[in-house]
């Protein structure tokens, strides 16, 4: 059911499915995870304010090490080095310690 939800037309459903799968160490939603680690992607949702963006980023950053996927290192590094939010930067730094 979660894997099917990765193709749902509603972004929140796709995001939640990718997060739920990642918590089970299933990387089926990796493409969605890569999108969620990209501020430009998050900016494309006008109803997602800065606080909500940070919440999304924090969840994804904290779960990313469960996947142990090297494709996530670059976006995490970008967040660690460049994000405007210090909490996001610190979370990304800590997540990268697990790679």
């Amino acid at each position: 059911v979660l894997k099917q939800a990765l193709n749902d037309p509603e972004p929140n459903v796709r995001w939640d499915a990718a997060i739920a799968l990642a918590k089970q160490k299933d990387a089926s939603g990796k493409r969605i995870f890569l999108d969620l680690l990209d501020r430009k992607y998050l900016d494309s949702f006008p109803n997602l304010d800065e606080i909500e963006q940070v919440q999304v980023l924090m969840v994804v950053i904290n779960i990313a090490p469960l996947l142990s996927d090297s494709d996530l290192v670059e976006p995490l590094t970008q967040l660690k080095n460049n994000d405007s939010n210090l909490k996001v930067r610190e979370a990304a730094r800590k997540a990268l310690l697990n790679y």
Side-chain angles (χ1 to χ4, degrees):
V1 173
L2 289 173
K3 288 182 182 181
Q4 290 174 350
L6 293 173
N7 297 310
D8 196 273
E10 173 57 42
N12 285 322
V13 173
R14 293 192 304 268
W15 300 351
D16 289 344
I19 290 166
L21 287 163
K23 286 180 180 179
Q24 297 175 34
K25 298 183 179 182
D26 182 326
S28 299
K30 179 174 91 169
R31 176 70 253 160
I32 293 168
F33 252 63
L34 290 167
D35 287 342
L36 292 174
L37 290 170
D38 182 354
R39 280 281 195 167
K40 289 177 186 171
Y41 173 78
L42 294 175
D43 285 342
S44 72
F45 296 91
N47 59 332
L48 199 63
D49 65 24
E50 173 64 17
I51 293 170
E52 292 168 320
Q53 281 191 18
V54 169
Q55 289 173 335
V56 168
L57 285 166
M58 294 297 286
V59 168
V60 175
I61 290 167
N62 289 317
I63 295 171
L66 294 176
L67 297 179
S68 299
D69 190 305
S70 62
D71 288 341
L72 298 174
V73 171
E74 179 58 28
L76 288 169
T77 301
Q78 290 296 320
L79 289 171
K80 177 188 80 126
N81 293 334
N82 303 316
D83 199 79
S84 59
N85 186 290
L86 293 177
K87 287 182 183 181
V88 169
R89 290 174 74 165
E90 178 63 10
R93 185 191 68 77
K94 287 180 180 177
L96 286 164
L97 294 175
N98 295 310
Y99 278 89

